[in-house]
Amino acid sequence: MDQWALYVNYRSKEETKALCLRNQRIRGQQTLPHTSGAMSLDRRRDLMKKMGKEVDRGKVWTETHKRKDGSYVNDQAREIGERIEEIRRQRPETLAEISLNDALGVVFGPEHPGRIRGLGMGAVPTVVFKQISRRGGCSYMGSSSASAPPPQWVQEMANMRSQLNALTSLFQMKIGIIPRSLLTYFRLLHRLPI
């Protein structure tokens, strides 16, 4: 009963009503609504596989933007879906691979750094596409690569270690004893590979 009373109180506040109206207006302005409901893209892909359908990023996108009768949710979704299907027909060899150049990648362009269209939660470009990240002007494949880090990184790590040593010495001179938590942290940093 207490929770219900809190809920009713929350819903009757003017700020909450204004927020609900704003969200309703934003939902109405959505240009590409999907029809997958609460089903995740991973579950959608599994269901499509069980039904014997082709499964790739482009096909998942078109399936989630069609109604049960097979029609697209709006004209913009129909245009995008037709472009995706056209690219899928032109390049059947790319259906099996997930890449920046598959149908969805060509139609929508570059992916957002933190997610990939059509693959669901947790998929990021650097892992899925094995993409070379460019940070600090140098390219390095990341932790999954067997290659050694670039010389600039080795030098930077050496500089950071010498700064850490100087900081540790200064800390000991000014304060005396280094707390165990910081000491453990400093030791861990010293063990990092170059």
Side-chain angles (χ1 to χ4, degrees):
M1 290 301 286
D2 291 341
Q3 289 178 348
W4 180 252
L6 289 171
Y7 176 73
V8 170
N9 185 34
Y10 169 74
R11 295 294 293 192
S12 63
K13 289 182 180 178
E14 289 303 316
E15 304 97 44
T16 305
K17 290 178 184 178
L19 183 65
C20 290
L21 286 173
R22 182 181 139 261
N23 291 343
Q24 183 181 11
R25 188 177 66 253
I26 289 171
R27 280 192 306 275
Q29 294 172 348
Q30 187 178 12
T31 58
L32 288 173
H34 60 81
T35 59
S36 59
M39 184 183 294
S40 70
L41 292 176
D42 289 333
R43 285 184 53 211
R44 172 71 60 169
R45 291 171 73 86
D46 288 341
L47 183 64
M48 289 170 66
K49 285 178 185 176
K50 287 178 185 174
M51 293 171 62
K53 294 182 180 180
E54 293 179 46
V55 179
D56 61 73
R57 290 192 323 142
K59 192 65 176 172
V60 170
W61 192 93
T62 56
E63 286 284 319
T64 58
H65 290 82
K66 286 183 178 179
R67 294 186 182 98
K68 288 182 182 180
D69 65 359
S71 65
Y72 284 96
V73 292
N74 61 23
D75 289 336
Q76 186 181 9
R78 182 184 46 75
E79 290 172 13
I80 292 170
E82 288 171 356
R83 285 196 327 224
I84 289 172
E85 290 301 323
E86 181 181 332
I87 292 168
R88 290 179 77 242
R89 280 191 300 275
Q90 290 173 356
R91 298 193 225 172
E93 71 278 358
T94 63
L95 295 181
E97 66 183 42
I98 297 171
S99 75
L100 295 170
N101 297 323
D102 63 5
L104 205 65
V106 170
V107 170
F108 284 107
E111 296 290 340
H112 184 277
R115 62 181 175 271
I116 300 177
R117 292 178 191 93
L119 293 184
M121 299 282 291
V124 293
T126 54
V127 174
V128 173
F129 299 136
K130 307 286 188 272
Q131 186 175 359
I132 296 174
S133 64
R134 298 204 175 268
R135 291 190 180 170
C138 57
S139 62
Y140 180 56
M141 289 292 287
S143 61
S144 62
S145 173
S147 64
Q152 304 97 300
W153 288 15
V154 173
Q155 182 61 42
E156 189 173 337
M157 183 63 85
N159 291 343
M160 291 176 76
R161 283 198 177 136
S162 65
Q163 290 174 357
L164 181 62
N165 287 336
L167 180 65
T168 306
S169 299
L170 181 66
F171 196 86
Q172 283 177 332
M173 286 186 331
K174 295 289 182 181
I175 298 178
I177 299 172
I178 298 176
R180 183 176 294 276
S181 58
L182 284 179
L183 191 59
T184 304
Y185 181 68
F186 289 159
R187 285 182 184 149
L188 286 174
L189 287 176
H190 277 289
R191 290 187 199 136
L192 288 175
I194 291 182

